[in-house]
Amino acid sequence: MRELIPLITAWTCVLITAIAAVTDFRTGKIPNWLTFPAIAIGPAIWGWYGGFSSLWTTPMFASALGSLLSALVCGGALYFGLYRNRIGGGEHAIGAGDIKLFAALGSLGLVWLGVESMFHAVCVGVLFTMARLAWRGVLLETLANAAFILVNPVLPKRYRREIAKETLTKKRFGVSIIVGTQFTVAAERGYRKIRYS
């Protein structure tokens, strides 16, 4: 049973993101009852699998400490990169539920699954959003706003451009996360029987 833990946790992450995608699509929220238990259970599962304090295990980070650090890396990257830095009108660039969901992916799937799922989810989200904006005819205006959001912090005040809240586009990220996580797990399974083995 113990040797199946990596496979079970990877597909559990897919299930969790599927539920999150449905709730995010319907309500615009990813509930705490979905993310917090996954964050709490991850260290217990990986502690049983690989010990409690060693990070240099096979697979790497397969321990209780590794699970906690993976949750911090996956959730912290989004928190410090996108959530803390408010944009036009004080809006967050990403929701708190998305951050907790990636922390849960890190806790259960360890750092490789969390980071790769994040990368794939962002790619899917960008492609979907660009197609939607092009369809609405506001793609170039939105790209210009995005460029100023990136460079405003380093420009002198007189050259900064204020981004009006009305020109920002919101996107629910849950569907992109399930597609990114599913792709990560399926691709890994296809070429190497999950990286843990």
PDB file of all heavy atoms in Angstrom, residues 147-181:
ATOM      1  N   ALA A 147       1.293  45.634 -19.448  1.00  0.00           N
ATOM      2  CA  ALA A 147       2.670  46.132 -19.519  1.00  0.00           C
ATOM      3  C   ALA A 147       2.898  47.224 -18.479  1.00  0.00           C
ATOM      4  O   ALA A 147       3.928  47.243 -17.801  1.00  0.00           O
ATOM      5  CB  ALA A 147       2.968  46.648 -20.924  1.00  0.00           C
ATOM      6  N   PHE A 148       1.934  48.116 -18.326  1.00  0.00           N
ATOM      7  CA  PHE A 148       2.098  49.180 -17.327  1.00  0.00           C
ATOM      8  C   PHE A 148       2.008  48.650 -15.907  1.00  0.00           C
ATOM      9  O   PHE A 148       2.675  49.158 -15.008  1.00  0.00           O
ATOM     10  CB  PHE A 148       1.088  50.309 -17.566  1.00  0.00           C
ATOM     11  CG  PHE A 148       1.575  51.321 -18.547  1.00  0.00           C
ATOM     12  CD1 PHE A 148       1.124  51.303 -19.856  1.00  0.00           C
ATOM     13  CD2 PHE A 148       2.515  52.268 -18.178  1.00  0.00           C
ATOM     14  CE1 PHE A 148       1.587  52.218 -20.777  1.00  0.00           C
ATOM     15  CE2 PHE A 148       2.993  53.199 -19.082  1.00  0.00           C
ATOM     16  CZ  PHE A 148       2.527  53.175 -20.396  1.00  0.00           C
ATOM     17  N   ILE A 149       1.203  47.622 -15.688  1.00  0.00           N
ATOM     18  CA  ILE A 149       1.149  47.015 -14.351  1.00  0.00           C
ATOM     19  C   ILE A 149       2.523  46.465 -13.986  1.00  0.00           C
ATOM     20  O   ILE A 149       2.976  46.578 -12.841  1.00  0.00           O
ATOM     21  CB  ILE A 149       0.072  45.913 -14.303  1.00  0.00           C
ATOM     22  CG1 ILE A 149      -1.315  46.547 -14.314  1.00  0.00           C
ATOM     23  CG2 ILE A 149       0.239  45.032 -13.076  1.00  0.00           C
ATOM     24  CD1 ILE A 149      -2.447  45.567 -14.504  1.00  0.00           C
ATOM     25  N   LEU A 150       3.225  45.894 -14.967  1.00  0.00           N
ATOM     26  CA  LEU A 150       4.557  45.335 -14.711  1.00  0.00           C
ATOM     27  C   LEU A 150       5.621  46.406 -14.492  1.00  0.00           C
ATOM     28  O   LEU A 150       6.489  46.256 -13.643  1.00  0.00           O
ATOM     29  CB  LEU A 150       4.976  44.435 -15.877  1.00  0.00           C
ATOM     30  CG  LEU A 150       4.256  43.101 -15.986  1.00  0.00           C
ATOM     31  CD1 LEU A 150       4.660  42.383 -17.272  1.00  0.00           C
ATOM     32  CD2 LEU A 150       4.548  42.229 -14.786  1.00  0.00           C
ATOM     33  N   VAL A 151       5.582  47.479 -15.277  1.00  0.00           N
ATOM     34  CA  VAL A 151       6.668  48.466 -15.203  1.00  0.00           C
ATOM     35  C   VAL A 151       6.376  49.643 -14.287  1.00  0.00           C
ATOM     36  O   VAL A 151       7.301  50.366 -13.913  1.00  0.00           O
ATOM     37  CB  VAL A 151       7.065  48.990 -16.612  1.00  0.00           C
ATOM     38  CG1 VAL A 151       7.575  47.872 -17.473  1.00  0.00           C
ATOM     39  CG2 VAL A 151       5.935  49.731 -17.277  1.00  0.00           C
ATOM     40  N   ASN A 152       5.116  49.866 -13.909  1.00  0.00           N
ATOM     41  CA  ASN A 152       4.791  50.996 -13.031  1.00  0.00           C
ATOM     42  C   ASN A 152       5.638  51.056 -11.758  1.00  0.00           C
ATOM     43  O   ASN A 152       6.087  52.137 -11.369  1.00  0.00           O
ATOM     44  CB  ASN A 152       3.307  50.995 -12.665  1.00  0.00           C
ATOM     45  CG  ASN A 152       2.474  51.806 -13.638  1.00  0.00           C
ATOM     46  OD1 ASN A 152       2.990  52.562 -14.455  1.00  0.00           O
ATOM     47  ND2 ASN A 152       1.173  51.634 -13.565  1.00  0.00           N
ATOM     48  N   PRO A 153       5.877  49.932 -11.086  1.00  0.00           N
ATOM     49  CA  PRO A 153       6.652  50.013  -9.838  1.00  0.00           C
ATOM     50  C   PRO A 153       8.079  50.546 -10.018  1.00  0.00           C
ATOM     51  O   PRO A 153       8.650  51.094  -9.077  1.00  0.00           O
ATOM     52  CB  PRO A 153       6.678  48.567  -9.337  1.00  0.00           C
ATOM     53  CG  PRO A 153       5.493  47.924  -9.947  1.00  0.00           C
ATOM     54  CD  PRO A 153       5.318  48.580 -11.283  1.00  0.00           C
ATOM     55  N   VAL A 154       8.657  50.405 -11.196  1.00  0.00           N
ATOM     56  CA  VAL A 154      10.039  50.858 -11.392  1.00  0.00           C
ATOM     57  C   VAL A 154      10.132  52.195 -12.129  1.00  0.00           C
ATOM     58  O   VAL A 154      11.220  52.758 -12.233  1.00  0.00           O
ATOM     59  CB  VAL A 154      10.881  49.789 -12.146  1.00  0.00           C
ATOM     60  CG1 VAL A 154      10.995  48.532 -11.315  1.00  0.00           C
ATOM     61  CG2 VAL A 154      10.315  49.505 -13.515  1.00  0.00           C
ATOM     62  N   LEU A 155       9.014  52.707 -12.620  1.00  0.00           N
ATOM     63  CA  LEU A 155       9.030  53.990 -13.327  1.00  0.00           C
ATOM     64  C   LEU A 155       8.971  55.149 -12.335  1.00  0.00           C
ATOM     65  O   LEU A 155       8.373  55.029 -11.269  1.00  0.00           O
ATOM     66  CB  LEU A 155       7.825  54.091 -14.265  1.00  0.00           C
ATOM     67  CG  LEU A 155       7.826  53.221 -15.514  1.00  0.00           C
ATOM     68  CD1 LEU A 155       6.503  53.388 -16.264  1.00  0.00           C
ATOM     69  CD2 LEU A 155       8.987  53.563 -16.420  1.00  0.00           C
ATOM     70  N   PRO A 156       9.571  56.294 -12.701  1.00  0.00           N
ATOM     71  CA  PRO A 156       9.369  57.489 -11.880  1.00  0.00           C
ATOM     72  C   PRO A 156       7.886  57.861 -11.866  1.00  0.00           C
ATOM     73  O   PRO A 156       7.146  57.552 -12.815  1.00  0.00           O
ATOM     74  CB  PRO A 156      10.186  58.568 -12.602  1.00  0.00           C
ATOM     75  CG  PRO A 156      11.133  57.824 -13.477  1.00  0.00           C
ATOM     76  CD  PRO A 156      10.487  56.526 -13.816  1.00  0.00           C
ATOM     77  N   LYS A 157       7.433  58.528 -10.817  1.00  0.00           N
ATOM     78  CA  LYS A 157       6.006  58.814 -10.649  1.00  0.00           C
ATOM     79  C   LYS A 157       5.393  59.532 -11.844  1.00  0.00           C
ATOM     80  O   LYS A 157       4.260  59.274 -12.218  1.00  0.00           O
ATOM     81  CB  LYS A 157       5.776  59.641  -9.384  1.00  0.00           C
ATOM     82  CG  LYS A 157       5.780  58.813  -8.148  1.00  0.00           C
ATOM     83  CD  LYS A 157       5.267  59.599  -6.975  1.00  0.00           C
ATOM     84  CE  LYS A 157       5.210  58.661  -5.797  1.00  0.00           C
ATOM     85  NZ  LYS A 157       4.577  59.248  -4.653  1.00  0.00           N
ATOM     86  N   ARG A 158       6.118  60.445 -12.465  1.00  0.00           N
ATOM     87  CA  ARG A 158       5.526  61.226 -13.559  1.00  0.00           C
ATOM     88  C   ARG A 158       5.262  60.382 -14.814  1.00  0.00           C
ATOM     89  O   ARG A 158       4.462  60.758 -15.654  1.00  0.00           O
ATOM     90  CB  ARG A 158       6.402  62.419 -13.898  1.00  0.00           C
ATOM     91  CG  ARG A 158       7.745  62.045 -14.435  1.00  0.00           C
ATOM     92  CD  ARG A 158       8.554  63.271 -14.800  1.00  0.00           C
ATOM     93  NE  ARG A 158       9.861  62.820 -15.257  1.00  0.00           N
ATOM     94  CZ  ARG A 158      10.973  63.421 -15.027  1.00  0.00           C
ATOM     95  NH1 ARG A 158      10.965  64.544 -14.349  1.00  0.00           N
ATOM     96  NH2 ARG A 158      12.101  62.944 -15.475  1.00  0.00           N
ATOM     97  N   TYR A 159       5.932  59.233 -14.938  1.00  0.00           N
ATOM     98  CA  TYR A 159       5.727  58.376 -16.112  1.00  0.00           C
ATOM     99  C   TYR A 159       4.766  57.209 -15.857  1.00  0.00           C
ATOM    100  O   TYR A 159       4.441  56.471 -16.772  1.00  0.00           O
ATOM    101  CB  TYR A 159       7.063  57.807 -16.603  1.00  0.00           C
ATOM    102  CG  TYR A 159       7.994  58.866 -17.117  1.00  0.00           C
ATOM    103  CD1 TYR A 159       9.202  59.118 -16.480  1.00  0.00           C
ATOM    104  CD2 TYR A 159       7.670  59.622 -18.233  1.00  0.00           C
ATOM    105  CE1 TYR A 159      10.063  60.092 -16.935  1.00  0.00           C
ATOM    106  CE2 TYR A 159       8.524  60.604 -18.702  1.00  0.00           C
ATOM    107  CZ  TYR A 159       9.720  60.834 -18.051  1.00  0.00           C
ATOM    108  OH  TYR A 159      10.561  61.800 -18.511  1.00  0.00           O
ATOM    109  N   ARG A 160       4.343  57.058 -14.621  1.00  0.00           N
ATOM    110  CA  ARG A 160       3.440  55.958 -14.304  1.00  0.00           C
ATOM    111  C   ARG A 160       2.057  56.206 -14.897  1.00  0.00           C
ATOM    112  O   ARG A 160       1.616  57.338 -15.000  1.00  0.00           O
ATOM    113  CB  ARG A 160       3.314  55.782 -12.793  1.00  0.00           C
ATOM    114  CG  ARG A 160       4.569  55.290 -12.168  1.00  0.00           C
ATOM    115  CD  ARG A 160       4.428  55.085 -10.697  1.00  0.00           C
ATOM    116  NE  ARG A 160       5.717  54.826 -10.109  1.00  0.00           N
ATOM    117  CZ  ARG A 160       5.962  54.800  -8.811  1.00  0.00           C
ATOM    118  NH1 ARG A 160       4.985  55.011  -7.952  1.00  0.00           N
ATOM    119  NH2 ARG A 160       7.174  54.558  -8.373  1.00  0.00           N
ATOM    120  N   ARG A 161       1.427  55.129 -15.255  1.00  0.00           N
ATOM    121  CA  ARG A 161       0.079  55.217 -15.823  1.00  0.00           C
ATOM    122  C   ARG A 161      -0.889  54.564 -14.851  1.00  0.00           C
ATOM    123  O   ARG A 161      -0.715  53.414 -14.460  1.00  0.00           O
ATOM    124  CB  ARG A 161       0.043  54.503 -17.169  1.00  0.00           C
ATOM    125  CG  ARG A 161      -1.315  54.479 -17.818  1.00  0.00           C
ATOM    126  CD  ARG A 161      -1.184  53.901 -19.213  1.00  0.00           C
ATOM    127  NE  ARG A 161      -2.455  53.442 -19.679  1.00  0.00           N
ATOM    128  CZ  ARG A 161      -2.633  52.784 -20.801  1.00  0.00           C
ATOM    129  NH1 ARG A 161      -1.593  52.505 -21.563  1.00  0.00           N
ATOM    130  NH2 ARG A 161      -3.805  52.404 -21.179  1.00  0.00           N
ATOM    131  N   GLU A 162      -1.909  55.300 -14.463  1.00  0.00           N
ATOM    132  CA  GLU A 162      -2.931  54.761 -13.568  1.00  0.00           C
ATOM    133  C   GLU A 162      -3.848  53.834 -14.366  1.00  0.00           C
ATOM    134  O   GLU A 162      -4.329  54.185 -15.429  1.00  0.00           O
ATOM    135  CB  GLU A 162      -3.751  55.898 -12.952  1.00  0.00           C
ATOM    136  CG  GLU A 162      -4.689  55.463 -11.857  1.00  0.00           C
ATOM    137  CD  GLU A 162      -3.960  54.889 -10.654  1.00  0.00           C
ATOM    138  OE1 GLU A 162      -2.857  55.356 -10.320  1.00  0.00           O
ATOM    139  OE2 GLU A 162      -4.507  53.953 -10.045  1.00  0.00           O
ATOM    140  N   ILE A 163      -4.061  52.650 -13.835  1.00  0.00           N
ATOM    141  CA  ILE A 163      -4.910  51.672 -14.505  1.00  0.00           C
ATOM    142  C   ILE A 163      -6.308  51.757 -13.899  1.00  0.00           C
ATOM    143  O   ILE A 163      -6.490  51.517 -12.714  1.00  0.00           O
ATOM    144  CB  ILE A 163      -4.361  50.239 -14.341  1.00  0.00           C
ATOM    145  CG1 ILE A 163      -2.888  50.163 -14.743  1.00  0.00           C
ATOM    146  CG2 ILE A 163      -5.207  49.246 -15.107  1.00  0.00           C
ATOM    147  CD1 ILE A 163      -2.600  50.490 -16.175  1.00  0.00           C
ATOM    148  N   ALA A 164      -7.280  52.122 -14.720  1.00  0.00           N
ATOM    149  CA  ALA A 164      -8.653  52.243 -14.235  1.00  0.00           C
ATOM    150  C   ALA A 164      -9.220  50.857 -13.934  1.00  0.00           C
ATOM    151  O   ALA A 164      -8.995  49.908 -14.689  1.00  0.00           O
ATOM    152  CB  ALA A 164      -9.517  52.946 -15.274  1.00  0.00           C
ATOM    153  N   LYS A 165      -9.958  50.757 -12.855  1.00  0.00           N
ATOM    154  CA  LYS A 165     -10.530  49.486 -12.439  1.00  0.00           C
ATOM    155  C   LYS A 165     -11.455  48.912 -13.511  1.00  0.00           C
ATOM    156  O   LYS A 165     -11.532  47.707 -13.710  1.00  0.00           O
ATOM    157  CB  LYS A 165     -11.293  49.689 -11.128  1.00  0.00           C
ATOM    158  CG  LYS A 165     -11.803  48.429 -10.507  1.00  0.00           C
ATOM    159  CD  LYS A 165     -12.445  48.720  -9.174  1.00  0.00           C
ATOM    160  CE  LYS A 165     -12.978  47.436  -8.561  1.00  0.00           C
ATOM    161  NZ  LYS A 165     -13.585  47.652  -7.265  1.00  0.00           N
ATOM    162  N   GLU A 166     -12.135  49.787 -14.247  1.00  0.00           N
ATOM    163  CA  GLU A 166     -13.088  49.340 -15.258  1.00  0.00           C
ATOM    164  C   GLU A 166     -12.414  48.626 -16.426  1.00  0.00           C
ATOM    165  O   GLU A 166     -13.043  47.853 -17.141  1.00  0.00           O
ATOM    166  CB  GLU A 166     -13.890  50.531 -15.818  1.00  0.00           C
ATOM    167  CG  GLU A 166     -14.686  51.298 -14.781  1.00  0.00           C
ATOM    168  CD  GLU A 166     -13.818  52.257 -13.959  1.00  0.00           C
ATOM    169  OE1 GLU A 166     -12.896  52.873 -14.511  1.00  0.00           O
ATOM    170  OE2 GLU A 166     -14.070  52.364 -12.755  1.00  0.00           O
ATOM    171  N   THR A 167     -11.123  48.902 -16.651  1.00  0.00           N
ATOM    172  CA  THR A 167     -10.431  48.290 -17.790  1.00  0.00           C
ATOM    173  C   THR A 167      -9.821  46.928 -17.443  1.00  0.00           C
ATOM    174  O   THR A 167      -9.308  46.246 -18.324  1.00  0.00           O
ATOM    175  CB  THR A 167      -9.314  49.209 -18.322  1.00  0.00           C
ATOM    176  OG1 THR A 167      -8.342  49.401 -17.296  1.00  0.00           O
ATOM    177  CG2 THR A 167      -9.869  50.535 -18.778  1.00  0.00           C
ATOM    178  N   LEU A 168      -9.870  46.560 -16.173  1.00  0.00           N
ATOM    179  CA  LEU A 168      -9.324  45.263 -15.772  1.00  0.00           C
ATOM    180  C   LEU A 168     -10.317  44.146 -16.091  1.00  0.00           C
ATOM    181  O   LEU A 168     -11.520  44.353 -16.095  1.00  0.00           O
ATOM    182  CB  LEU A 168      -9.013  45.269 -14.271  1.00  0.00           C
ATOM    183  CG  LEU A 168      -7.949  46.267 -13.837  1.00  0.00           C
ATOM    184  CD1 LEU A 168      -7.827  46.272 -12.322  1.00  0.00           C
ATOM    185  CD2 LEU A 168      -6.625  45.943 -14.473  1.00  0.00           C
ATOM    186  N   THR A 169      -9.786  42.984 -16.367  1.00  0.00           N
ATOM    187  CA  THR A 169     -10.615  41.833 -16.684  1.00  0.00           C
ATOM    188  C   THR A 169     -10.436  40.779 -15.602  1.00  0.00           C
ATOM    189  O   THR A 169      -9.318  40.436 -15.264  1.00  0.00           O
ATOM    190  CB  THR A 169     -10.206  41.232 -18.050  1.00  0.00           C
ATOM    191  OG1 THR A 169     -10.342  42.239 -19.030  1.00  0.00           O
ATOM    192  CG2 THR A 169     -11.053  40.057 -18.400  1.00  0.00           C
ATOM    193  N   LYS A 170     -11.559  40.281 -15.083  1.00  0.00           N
ATOM    194  CA  LYS A 170     -11.494  39.219 -14.074  1.00  0.00           C
ATOM    195  C   LYS A 170     -11.686  37.874 -14.757  1.00  0.00           C
ATOM    196  O   LYS A 170     -12.445  37.747 -15.710  1.00  0.00           O
ATOM    197  CB  LYS A 170     -12.591  39.413 -13.027  1.00  0.00           C
ATOM    198  CG  LYS A 170     -12.277  40.475 -12.029  1.00  0.00           C
ATOM    199  CD  LYS A 170     -13.235  40.399 -10.875  1.00  0.00           C
ATOM    200  CE  LYS A 170     -12.787  41.395  -9.825  1.00  0.00           C
ATOM    201  NZ  LYS A 170     -13.465  41.215  -8.578  1.00  0.00           N
ATOM    202  N   LYS A 171     -10.991  36.890 -14.235  1.00  0.00           N
ATOM    203  CA  LYS A 171     -11.140  35.532 -14.748  1.00  0.00           C
ATOM    204  C   LYS A 171     -11.123  34.578 -13.566  1.00  0.00           C
ATOM    205  O   LYS A 171     -10.286  34.690 -12.688  1.00  0.00           O
ATOM    206  CB  LYS A 171      -9.997  35.186 -15.700  1.00  0.00           C
ATOM    207  CG  LYS A 171     -10.126  33.777 -16.242  1.00  0.00           C
ATOM    208  CD  LYS A 171      -8.866  33.332 -16.916  1.00  0.00           C
ATOM    209  CE  LYS A 171      -8.948  31.927 -17.426  1.00  0.00           C
ATOM    210  NZ  LYS A 171      -9.523  30.951 -16.565  1.00  0.00           N
ATOM    211  N   ARG A 172     -12.048  33.666 -13.574  1.00  0.00           N
ATOM    212  CA  ARG A 172     -12.038  32.616 -12.565  1.00  0.00           C
ATOM    213  C   ARG A 172     -11.012  31.582 -12.999  1.00  0.00           C
ATOM    214  O   ARG A 172     -11.047  31.086 -14.113  1.00  0.00           O
ATOM    215  CB  ARG A 172     -13.425  32.013 -12.423  1.00  0.00           C
ATOM    216  CG  ARG A 172     -14.386  33.026 -11.840  1.00  0.00           C
ATOM    217  CD  ARG A 172     -15.743  32.464 -11.641  1.00  0.00           C
ATOM    218  NE  ARG A 172     -16.603  33.519 -11.105  1.00  0.00           N
ATOM    219  CZ  ARG A 172     -17.902  33.407 -11.003  1.00  0.00           C
ATOM    220  NH1 ARG A 172     -18.504  32.294 -11.385  1.00  0.00           N
ATOM    221  NH2 ARG A 172     -18.602  34.395 -10.513  1.00  0.00           N
ATOM    222  N   PHE A 173     -10.117  31.262 -12.099  1.00  0.00           N
ATOM    223  CA  PHE A 173      -8.922  30.483 -12.423  1.00  0.00           C
ATOM    224  C   PHE A 173      -9.095  28.982 -12.187  1.00  0.00           C
ATOM    225  O   PHE A 173      -8.263  28.188 -12.578  1.00  0.00           O
ATOM    226  CB  PHE A 173      -7.773  31.043 -11.571  1.00  0.00           C
ATOM    227  CG  PHE A 173      -6.402  30.760 -12.090  1.00  0.00           C
ATOM    228  CD1 PHE A 173      -6.082  30.908 -13.428  1.00  0.00           C
ATOM    229  CD2 PHE A 173      -5.413  30.346 -11.219  1.00  0.00           C
ATOM    230  CE1 PHE A 173      -4.811  30.654 -13.890  1.00  0.00           C
ATOM    231  CE2 PHE A 173      -4.127  30.084 -11.671  1.00  0.00           C
ATOM    232  CZ  PHE A 173      -3.829  30.244 -13.013  1.00  0.00           C
ATOM    233  N   GLY A 174     -10.206  28.578 -11.565  1.00  0.00           N
ATOM    234  CA  GLY A 174     -10.397  27.184 -11.184  1.00  0.00           C
ATOM    235  C   GLY A 174     -10.354  26.205 -12.348  1.00  0.00           C
ATOM    236  O   GLY A 174      -9.757  25.129 -12.253  1.00  0.00           O
ATOM    237  N   VAL A 175     -10.979  26.561 -13.471  1.00  0.00           N
ATOM    238  CA  VAL A 175     -10.990  25.659 -14.628  1.00  0.00           C
ATOM    239  C   VAL A 175      -9.576  25.500 -15.191  1.00  0.00           C
ATOM    240  O   VAL A 175      -9.164  24.395 -15.560  1.00  0.00           O
ATOM    241  CB  VAL A 175     -11.976  26.165 -15.704  1.00  0.00           C
ATOM    242  CG1 VAL A 175     -11.887  25.328 -16.962  1.00  0.00           C
ATOM    243  CG2 VAL A 175     -13.403  26.170 -15.160  1.00  0.00           C
ATOM    244  N   SER A 176      -8.823  26.576 -15.235  1.00  0.00           N
ATOM    245  CA  SER A 176      -7.435  26.492 -15.707  1.00  0.00           C
ATOM    246  C   SER A 176      -6.596  25.608 -14.785  1.00  0.00           C
ATOM    247  O   SER A 176      -5.714  24.874 -15.246  1.00  0.00           O
ATOM    248  CB  SER A 176      -6.808  27.886 -15.776  1.00  0.00           C
ATOM    249  OG  SER A 176      -7.512  28.694 -16.677  1.00  0.00           O
ATOM    250  N   ILE A 177      -6.869  25.658 -13.486  1.00  0.00           N
ATOM    251  CA  ILE A 177      -6.103  24.861 -12.528  1.00  0.00           C
ATOM    252  C   ILE A 177      -6.363  23.369 -12.729  1.00  0.00           C
ATOM    253  O   ILE A 177      -5.428  22.570 -12.715  1.00  0.00           O
ATOM    254  CB  ILE A 177      -6.393  25.297 -11.076  1.00  0.00           C
ATOM    255  CG1 ILE A 177      -5.931  26.736 -10.856  1.00  0.00           C
ATOM    256  CG2 ILE A 177      -5.712  24.364 -10.079  1.00  0.00           C
ATOM    257  CD1 ILE A 177      -6.352  27.334  -9.529  1.00  0.00           C
ATOM    258  N   ILE A 178      -7.624  22.985 -12.956  1.00  0.00           N
ATOM    259  CA  ILE A 178      -7.887  21.552 -13.161  1.00  0.00           C
ATOM    260  C   ILE A 178      -7.241  21.078 -14.459  1.00  0.00           C
ATOM    261  O   ILE A 178      -6.658  20.002 -14.514  1.00  0.00           O
ATOM    262  CB  ILE A 178      -9.396  21.200 -13.143  1.00  0.00           C
ATOM    263  CG1 ILE A 178      -9.638  19.708 -13.426  1.00  0.00           C
ATOM    264  CG2 ILE A 178     -10.193  21.981 -14.137  1.00  0.00           C
ATOM    265  CD1 ILE A 178      -9.005  18.740 -12.525  1.00  0.00           C
ATOM    266  N   VAL A 179      -7.296  21.884 -15.512  1.00  0.00           N
ATOM    267  CA  VAL A 179      -6.678  21.476 -16.776  1.00  0.00           C
ATOM    268  C   VAL A 179      -5.162  21.345 -16.591  1.00  0.00           C
ATOM    269  O   VAL A 179      -4.548  20.375 -17.030  1.00  0.00           O
ATOM    270  CB  VAL A 179      -7.024  22.468 -17.908  1.00  0.00           C
ATOM    271  CG1 VAL A 179      -6.244  22.153 -19.173  1.00  0.00           C
ATOM    272  CG2 VAL A 179      -8.519  22.450 -18.189  1.00  0.00           C
ATOM    273  N   GLY A 180      -4.543  22.314 -15.911  1.00  0.00           N
ATOM    274  CA  GLY A 180      -3.099  22.262 -15.670  1.00  0.00           C
ATOM    275  C   GLY A 180      -2.688  21.088 -14.805  1.00  0.00           C
ATOM    276  O   GLY A 180      -1.692  20.410 -15.081  1.00  0.00           O
ATOM    277  N   THR A 181      -3.464  20.799 -13.760  1.00  0.00           N
ATOM    278  CA  THR A 181      -3.143  19.679 -12.866  1.00  0.00           C
ATOM    279  C   THR A 181      -3.342  18.344 -13.570  1.00  0.00           C
ATOM    280  O   THR A 181      -2.503  17.450 -13.474  1.00  0.00           O
ATOM    281  CB  THR A 181      -4.009  19.743 -11.591  1.00  0.00           C
ATOM    282  OG1 THR A 181      -3.824  21.017 -10.977  1.00  0.00           O
ATOM    283  CG2 THR A 181      -3.628  18.661 -10.614  1.00  0.00           C
TER     284      THR A 181
END
